[in-house]
Amino acid sequence: MALMESLVRVLASEAPRHNITQIKKVKLTVGALTHALPDALRFAFSVLREQPLFAPGAELEIEERKTRCRCRDCGADFAVEGNLGFLCPGCGGFAVDIIQGRELQIDYFEGD
Ligand SMILES: [Zn+2]
């Protein structure tokens, strides 16, 4: 809930800059490593969208991004399922860089 509240605060300050008084749709990208659960975000949004900042029935679209890593040894680029190991499936190395999965961002919002 706190997370969604802070996103709504961002929207509340951004919307006027785009001459939007009622937001109809918000698109978020949520990386797996943020541990932000899409269902929890949707629930929080369903409560927060009652504010006048949002048009009635405003939509939330969530794009979930898996965690991806790149091996520093062999350069393999691989997806990590859940919180399971960050071991390179190519060479077994564990010197990996996280290249995706930490995102939590508003991609865009639309409204009038
Ligand atoms: Zn490797």
Side-chain angles (χ1 to χ4, degrees):
M1 197 76 181
L3 180 59
M4 201 68 216
E5 278 169 359
S6 65
L7 289 171
V8 168
R9 266 198 297 279
V10 171
L11 290 169
S13 72
E14 286 295 318
R17 290 187 211 172
H18 298 87
N19 294 317
I20 289 175
T21 52
Q22 282 207 312
I23 295 171
K24 289 181 170 167
K25 182 172 178 183
V26 181
K27 161 92 191 295
L28 300 180
T29 293
V30 179
L33 284 174
T34 64
H35 300 295
L37 298 172
D39 284 349
L41 290 174
R42 283 192 193 93
F43 174 75
F45 184 77
S46 73
V47 174
L48 292 167
R49 77 176 172 192
E50 299 304 319
Q51 299 176 21
L53 174 64
F54 297 97
E59 274 181 75
L60 176 67
E61 184 183 330
I62 296 176
E63 179 181 333
E64 296 177 66
R65 292 250 175 97
K66 285 189 175 171
T67 306
R68 291 195 71 86
C69 295
R70 182 173 295 130
C71 178
R72 287 184 195 170
D73 293 326
C74 73
D77 180 329
F78 60 97
V80 177
E81 299 295 333
N83 292 320
L84 297 173
F86 285 73
L87 279 182
C88 173
C91 70
F94 54 83
V96 300
D97 292 317
I98 294 168
I99 55 174
Q100 180 182 288
R102 288 191 174 122
E103 309 87 335
L104 179 58
Q105 68 201 34
I106 298 168
D107 287 337
Y108 65 83
F109 58 92
E110 298 169 351
D112 293 325

